[in-house]
Amino acid sequence: MTSHKPIRKAVFPVAGLGTRFLPATKAIPKELLPIVDRPLIQYAVDEAREAGIEQMIFVTGRGKTALVEHFDIAYELESTMGERGKDLSVLDPTRFTPGDLITVRQQVPMGLGHAIWCARAIVGDEPFAILLPDELMVGQPGCLAQMVEAYNQVGGNLISVLEVPWDEVSSYGVITPGKRDGALTEVKGLVEKPKREDAPSNLIVSGRYILQPEVMRTLEGQGKGAGGEIQLTDAMAKMIGDQPFHAVTFAGRRFDCGNKTGFVEATLALALERPDIGPEVRRIAERLLARA
């Protein structure tokens, strides 16, 4: 097996305004909205930690300081819980060693590609992961862990993909596939939101990436693309052919928590699987459906 530079850093683009969830997101970052009792950002950070990520880079915007506070020590809360004999281990996933969580500001909302570029000084000359917290990926092992395993074999750039029904491809970025080897597919091209009849496959890009640092230089000189924004897809497409580029078909489930129905679906699905509340949630759901 060839040795590749390890993936130690992950970028989380969390500067969005969350307008689809207003008024809930007027004062609370959308990434802190909970699926049952864990915020979306916590699921993404836990997935990164499982994959061996050591340093988390949050690309934030104004009004997003609560994201950092979530991962800070809450002295009053913890001392009160301790005095009352409450179990403090519930807060373990929110703890960080100083320096392992870094934030940078995206001052102008200019798209995902621009958000990633804002983290260039911290990423440096290392390959890095990107996790979009809106996309909740549920699997054993997690999506990024599956990708890191593939990266250790082939290196280069990787994206996570999922197979969807053909009539859904026009809503997503789609890959032009090359050779397939199990869950690994060579990426020959990337198309953003193609018409069904023009789509090169039904493998859609889902929100996990492992990219080489050269993508930052590509983003540096890149003009605006679709929607007047600097698109990450455009930068990745330019790197195809220059570096190895593969897709990993994720063995697991994806919930699009960037929209309300996906958020509700994730909440219900994960609640039903919880041994502590699952049976009661199932009874509630059955009762509600019987009335509908």
Side-chain angles (χ1 to χ4, degrees):
M1 187 184 289
T2 315
S3 176
H4 303 288
K5 262 192 178 180
I7 309 298
R8 301 188 311 113
K9 300 179 180 182
V11 178
F12 299 78
V14 290
L17 298 172
T19 51
R20 289 185 193 175
F21 284 87
L22 285 169
T25 48
K26 183 180 177 183
I28 298 168
K30 113 186 130 171
E31 297 84 6
L32 285 178
L33 294 178
I35 302 293
V36 188
D37 52 9
R38 283 164 71 199
L40 279 171
I41 188 67
Q42 186 73 63
Y43 284 95
V45 164
D46 291 349
E47 182 187 328
R49 279 174 161 158
E50 180 203 18
I53 299 296
E54 298 168 12
Q55 194 172 65
M56 316 287 170
I57 305 161
F58 286 8
V59 182
T60 68
R62 282 178 289 282
K64 293 290 190 126
T65 51
L67 279 168
V68 181
E69 286 169 14
H70 174 75
F71 292 102
D72 199 356
I73 292 170
Y75 178 75
E76 298 86 349
L77 172 66
E78 294 182 25
S79 60
T80 303
M81 285 177 70
E83 286 165 11
R84 293 178 181 173
K86 303 264 187 194
D87 182 11
L88 285 169
S89 67
V90 71
L91 295 173
D92 286 350
T94 69
R95 301 182 196 282
F96 266 98
T97 305
D100 289 352
L101 173 61
I102 295 174
T103 64
V104 295
R105 278 285 181 103
Q106 183 186 23
Q107 293 174 315
V108 185
M110 288 174 61
L112 178 57
H114 180 259
I116 301 307
W117 179 76
C118 289
R120 66 198 180 281
I122 304 164
V123 166
D125 62 353
E126 292 187 42
F128 64 102
I130 301 169
L131 297 94
L132 308 188
D134 272 8
E135 301 201 30
L136 176 55
M137 312 292 267
V138 179
Q140 291 291 334
C143 184
L144 192 61
Q146 292 179 29
M147 292 178 71
V148 167
E149 186 182 347
Y151 168 83
N152 291 335
Q153 296 171 29
V154 296
N157 302 279
L158 291 103
I159 50 180
S160 164
V161 293
L162 283 167
E163 211 166 326
V164 298
W166 280 93
D167 56 2
E168 293 180 19
V169 292
S170 59
S171 302
Y172 301 100
V174 178
I175 70 162
T176 304
K179 285 188 301 183
R180 293 195 182 194
D181 179 14
L184 209 58
T185 305
E186 192 181 358
V187 177
K188 295 286 194 182
L190 288 163
V191 189
E192 193 64 42
K193 297 182 179 175
K195 291 179 183 173
R196 176 180 172 158
E197 57 271 22
D198 299 332
S201 74
N202 64 337
L203 292 171
I204 64 154
V205 179
S206 51
R208 303 291 184 268
Y209 312 79
I210 291 175
L211 299 177
Q212 295 299 316
E214 285 79 13
V215 75
M216 295 298 191
R217 289 192 276 285
T218 307
L219 287 165
E220 181 94 44
Q222 186 173 297
K224 293 176 182 178
E229 297 183 332
I230 294 172
Q231 298 288 348
L232 181 63
T233 304
D234 295 343
M236 292 192 301
K238 287 177 186 167
M239 294 167 74
I240 294 168
D242 293 339
Q243 295 182 341
F245 215 114
H246 292 87
V248 178
T249 302
F250 172 47
R253 292 171 294 158
R254 167 189 177 267
F255 297 98
D256 182 3
C257 294
N259 68 67
K260 293 171 193 173
T261 51
F263 188 89
V264 172
E265 182 190 6
T267 303
L268 188 55
L270 270 59
L272 284 168
E273 291 168 12
R274 290 266 297 253
D276 55 341
I277 60 173
E280 190 179 349
V281 171
R282 184 173 298 279
R283 286 193 293 274
I284 292 166
E286 287 169 349
R287 192 168 70 239
L288 291 171
L289 286 168
R291 285 185 200 160

